[in-house]
Amino acid sequence: MKIKIGILGYGNLGRGVECAVRQNPDMELAVVFTRRNPEDVAILTKSAQVCHVSEAEQWKDKIDVMILCGGSATDLPEQTPRYAAMFNVVDSFDTHARIPEHFANVDEAAKKAGKVGIISVGWDPGMFSLNRMYANAILPEGKDYTFWGKGVSQGHSDAIRRVEGVRDGRQYTIPVETALEAVRNGEDPELTTREKHTRECFVVLEEGADADAVEAQIKNMPNYFSDYDTTVHFISEEELKRDHSKIPHGGFVLRSGRTGWEGENHHLIEYRLKLDSNPEFTSSVLIAYARAAYKMAQEGQTGCKTVFDIAPAYLSPKSGEELRAALL
Amino acid sequence: MKIKIGILGYGNLGRGVECAVRQNPDMELAVVFTRRNPEDVAILTKSAQVCHVSEAEQWKDKIDVMILCGGSATDLPEQTPRYAAMFNVVDSFDTHARIPEHFANVDEAAKKAGKVGIISVGWDPGMFSLNRMYANAILPEGKDYTFWGKGVSQGHSDAIRRVEGVRDGRQYTIPVETALEAVRNGEDPELTTREKHTRECFVVLEEGADADAVEAQIKNMPNYFSDYDTTVHFISEEELKRDHSKIPHGGFVLRSGRTGWEGENHHLIEYRLKLDSNPEFTSSVLIAYARAAYKMAQEGQTGCKTVFDIAPAYLSPKSGEELRAALL
């Protein structure tokens, strides 16, 4: 009996989940729900159906876990509690400030329905959060650092594209190597925004646009660029397509701490991700936690969970015996 | 009410646990048990007692968790099941091949007594195992790599000291940087033993010993050195004391994997530890899992657990609400 997966929303993340299911022989994709006309949505998995989202409730007893692949701004705050009333669900809600409220809503719906809802799964929040938590528990006297990149920031790329005279653009967030090295060396630096990351932009201009004006407008944009050292490159549309169509990302979570009776010994814990495809890696984490949701529901657990609440073994298809023999 | 900790065995690890307890305000050290004459054992914590190990049973209701700081070869296989019949226990059992048997013994004793026993806690096994497991669950199609060092290998240092003509010695295991870089670049190399690590020895000779003969004997020693590129430095006893008295260690766990419908995207997950003091870091992990043992026992859980079976939140003194708000 394979774990039957449903996907709600077929964008980059939904497609990534579809690919990830294929890599896990204990799972199968049963259905993809879309807000579009199902006939216009071509998926890769021959054996799975495409249905309109309005039909989801009819699948209540036909899938084991629904993976919610909508956005955090407006989709998930509404979708996750709603579908947790019908399915075990997993989402990648990433609006840090609203997590407590989202947790409460999902918890109430999932408990009432006897389902498991796992929220804020991915890499940040997700694997980065886990590593921050483990490292803080192990080294209570220390300092946390998170660096993002090198990777594409969707928000900053959108900001560039809103500048007048810009046809298209892509922004990379890049960690400052000397700052990373100072942390690794145990210097426990206090780092400003500018000292942690630089921003690199690749911009395609509209015909006749003023390059200097565009560059100045980008570099001085408050919140997005003015607090950073920003580089702007002007390239052709072909170059943008050829060299910048992937969605890489990643980053570093570090904890620098001290132990000993007088804090005489220094320790560094570093977790690093280097990802060719941000949505596909997020999807792979979602699928591992979908397995956890399934197993926890089988045990009769209910309510909202985060990565902090879930024992690692739930993520693996291996038994306890296999894990102890092979990976411990 | 603080969590009351007992320590059994006061060597490097026991002293490390004592220091770690001091960094955690929700815990206190109640007692250290020793096989030596208690009057000959001076501990750092004024408020704690030192007792002979034969008195341990009398502390059954006076401590919450006993941390077993003996060795894996002969102490722990016998001690952990015995004390799991009286206390919630945590150990750092690290003989990988014997873990299934040790697990079964501790599980039986702990279940019978209604206690929790957590085994094989530290960094390898321990945090490295956790990272291997998470990374395997997320990227099922991939390759695992573990590199150790730079750090002191106790076993190899002992091997050097058994060579005739050697007064004292210290051995460092060093990962090969080019091999690490090949893994990080997604080349998925097949690495021989020699290609992964080098070994560096610092040796103090007995008076009149033949340096060339000692060097040849070390470099050709089977199992320990003959499969590696080994460097031998001869130094004075003063230099050894001055430059090589710390016990640093660490290493890297990497998983290189692929996602996408045709495996078209590469991802790297890397976990790194850089530790000034191997025993003090291990102790800090033991203490975080002692908190988990205490909380799980409070909930009525019993039996043997490993790092795979324990939800991360159990390690932290923070509540679920606090963790979600601060670290997710």
Side-chain angles (χ1 to χ4, degrees):
Chain A
M1 275 292 290
K2 297 194 176 195
I3 304 172
K4 290 188 189 64
I5 302 291
I7 291 173
L8 200 151
Y10 196 66
N12 282 335
L13 199 58
R15 263 187 297 275
V17 169
E18 181 179 26
C19 295
V21 169
R22 193 196 196 197
Q23 292 189 317
N24 287 278
D26 62 333
M27 302 189 171
E28 64 181 325
L29 181 64
V31 56
V32 172
F33 295 100
T34 177
R35 284 183 286 212
R36 291 174 271 169
N37 179 352
E39 284 170 22
D40 297 341
V41 176
I43 66 171
L44 300 163
T45 308
K46 301 280 173 256
S47 56
Q49 295 188 43
V50 181
C51 294
H52 192 260
V53 66
S54 60
E55 298 171 51
E57 195 162 359
Q58 299 161 34
W59 286 76
K60 254 171 78 88
D61 302 313
K62 295 187 207 157
I63 59 177
D64 296 307
V65 186
M66 179 80 100
I67 315 225
L68 302 169
C69 299
S72 294
T74 55
D75 295 334
L76 298 175
E78 183 266 321
Q79 287 177 351
T80 315
R82 184 199 309 169
Y83 292 102
M86 308 176 211
F87 304 98
N88 300 308
V89 296
V90 184
D91 81 17
S92 60
F93 185 75
D94 67 359
T95 313
H96 289 261
R98 295 185 62 193
I99 286 175
E101 171 194 348
H102 189 55
F103 182 91
N105 293 340
V106 175
D107 195 48
E108 192 190 343
K111 277 197 176 130
K112 208 176 284 176
K115 300 290 181 188
V116 170
I118 308 181
I119 63 162
S120 301
V121 168
W123 60 274
D124 196 5
M127 299 313 295
F128 272 17
S129 324
L130 265 185
N131 276 280
R132 280 190 282 263
M133 209 233 84
Y134 275 117
N136 271 267
I138 294 168
L139 296 175
E141 293 178 10
K143 236 168 120 67
D144 292 308
Y145 295 89
T146 302
F147 292 83
W148 291 274
K150 180 182 177 178
V152 172
S153 163
Q154 217 52 65
H156 289 81
S157 298
D158 289 345
I160 292 174
R161 288 191 285 261
R162 286 192 297 264
V163 171
E164 211 190 302
V166 170
R167 176 177 300 173
D168 205 348
R170 188 64 53 107
Q171 193 268 182
Y172 295 92
T173 306
I174 303 170
V176 174
E177 196 56 45
T178 51
L180 257 171
E181 277 309 308
V183 173
R184 289 191 183 119
N185 292 337
E187 296 169 26
D188 292 358
E190 295 287 342
L191 298 166
T192 63
T193 299
R194 191 178 298 274
E195 287 166 339
K196 288 185 71 184
H197 298 94
T198 57
R199 299 198 176 277
E200 189 170 20
C201 308
F202 293 86
V203 175
V204 180
L205 291 173
E206 299 279 8
E207 238 180 78
D210 176 347
D212 289 346
V214 166
E215 180 167 345
Q217 229 189 307
I218 291 173
K219 288 186 169 177
N220 297 316
M221 200 186 294
N223 301 317
Y224 287 93
F225 293 101
S226 62
D227 294 335
Y228 298 86
D229 290 334
T230 301
T231 316
V232 178
H233 308 279
F234 293 103
I235 60 175
S236 69
E237 196 150 13
E238 295 69 45
E239 287 171 308
L240 190 81
K241 276 217 179 88
R242 188 190 64 205
D243 303 332
H244 303 284
S245 61
K246 285 210 169 195
I247 319 171
H249 219 312
F252 303 79
V253 169
L254 305 105
R255 185 158 177 91
S256 168
R258 308 198 75 88
T259 66
W261 196 250
E262 303 291 352
E264 58 271 29
N265 287 310
H266 177 258
H267 305 281
L268 179 81
I269 304 175
E270 174 173 346
Y271 182 77
R272 180 204 188 170
L273 295 174
K274 190 178 150 199
L275 314 174
D276 269 3
S277 164
N278 184 353
E280 284 183 12
F281 187 82
T282 300
S283 302
S284 296
V285 183
L286 283 166
I287 272 299
Y289 278 95
R291 182 180 293 115
Y294 173 76
K295 291 193 199 177
M296 295 170 96
Q298 292 281 98
E299 291 179 3
Q301 298 194 47
T302 67
C304 189
K305 315 280 176 190
T306 74
V307 293
F308 298 148
D309 307 311
I310 298 171
Y314 283 107
L315 275 64
S316 175
K318 294 193 166 70
S319 71
E321 291 75 23
E322 289 171 322
L323 288 175
R324 286 191 292 276
L327 293 173
L328 195 65
Chain B
M1 275 291 290
K2 296 194 177 194
I3 304 172
K4 290 189 188 63
I5 301 291
I7 292 173
L8 199 151
Y10 196 67
N12 281 336
L13 200 58
R15 264 188 295 275
V17 170
E18 180 180 24
C19 296
V21 169
R22 193 196 195 195
Q23 293 189 315
N24 287 279
D26 61 336
M27 301 190 173
E28 65 181 324
L29 180 65
V31 57
V32 172
F33 297 100
T34 176
R35 285 183 286 211
R36 291 175 271 170
N37 179 353
E39 284 171 18
D40 296 342
V41 176
I43 66 171
L44 299 163
T45 309
K46 300 281 172 255
S47 55
Q49 294 188 45
V50 181
C51 293
H52 191 261
V53 66
S54 60
E55 298 172 51
E57 195 162 0
Q58 300 161 35
W59 285 77
K60 258 171 74 90
D61 303 312
K62 295 187 205 156
I63 58 178
D64 296 306
V65 186
M66 177 81 100
I67 314 223
L68 302 169
C69 298
S72 293
T74 55
D75 296 335
L76 297 175
E78 184 266 322
Q79 287 177 352
T80 314
R82 186 201 305 171
Y83 292 102
M86 309 177 210
F87 304 98
N88 300 308
V89 296
V90 184
D91 81 17
S92 60
F93 185 75
D94 66 0
T95 313
H96 289 262
R98 296 186 61 193
I99 286 174
E101 172 194 347
H102 190 56
F103 182 92
N105 293 339
V106 175
D107 195 48
E108 193 190 342
K111 278 196 176 133
K112 208 176 285 177
K115 301 290 182 188
V116 170
I118 308 181
I119 63 162
S120 302
V121 169
W123 58 276
D124 195 5
M127 299 314 295
F128 273 18
S129 325
L130 264 185
N131 276 280
R132 281 189 282 263
M133 209 233 83
Y134 275 117
N136 271 268
I138 294 168
L139 295 175
E141 293 178 11
K143 236 167 121 62
D144 291 308
Y145 295 88
T146 302
F147 292 82
W148 291 275
K150 180 182 177 176
V152 172
S153 161
Q154 216 53 63
H156 289 80
S157 299
D158 290 346
I160 292 174
R161 287 190 285 259
R162 286 193 297 264
V163 171
E164 211 190 301
V166 170
R167 178 176 298 172
D168 205 351
R170 190 63 56 105
Q171 193 266 185
Y172 295 92
T173 305
I174 303 170
V176 174
E177 196 57 44
T178 51
L180 258 170
E181 276 309 310
V183 174
R184 289 191 184 118
N185 292 338
E187 297 169 26
D188 292 357
E190 294 288 341
L191 297 166
T192 63
T193 299
R194 192 178 298 274
E195 287 167 338
K196 287 184 72 185
H197 297 95
T198 56
R199 299 197 176 279
E200 189 171 23
C201 308
F202 293 87
V203 175
V204 181
L205 290 173
E206 298 280 10
E207 238 180 77
D210 177 346
D212 289 348
V214 165
E215 179 166 346
Q217 229 189 305
I218 292 173
K219 286 186 170 176
N220 298 315
M221 198 185 296
N223 301 318
Y224 287 92
F225 294 102
S226 61
D227 294 337
Y228 298 87
D229 291 335
T230 301
T231 316
V232 178
H233 308 279
F234 294 103
I235 60 174
S236 70
E237 195 150 12
E238 295 69 46
E239 287 171 308
L240 190 80
K241 278 219 179 85
R242 189 191 63 203
D243 302 333
H244 304 284
S245 61
K246 284 209 172 194
I247 319 172
H249 220 313
F252 303 79
V253 170
L254 306 105
R255 187 159 176 89
S256 167
R258 308 199 74 88
T259 66
W261 195 249
E262 304 291 351
E264 58 271 30
N265 287 311
H266 178 258
H267 305 281
L268 180 81
I269 304 176
E270 175 174 344
Y271 182 75
R272 180 204 190 171
L273 295 175
K274 191 177 151 201
L275 314 173
D276 269 1
S277 165
N278 183 352
E280 284 181 11
F281 187 81
T282 300
S283 303
S284 296
V285 183
L286 283 166
I287 272 299
Y289 278 95
R291 181 180 292 115
Y294 173 77
K295 290 193 198 176
M296 293 170 97
Q298 293 279 99
E299 290 179 3
Q301 298 194 47
T302 67
C304 189
K305 315 279 177 193
T306 74
V307 293
F308 298 148
D309 308 310
I310 298 171
Y314 284 107
L315 276 63
S316 174
K318 294 192 165 72
S319 70
E321 290 75 24
E322 288 171 323
L323 287 175
R324 285 191 292 276
L327 292 174
L328 197 62

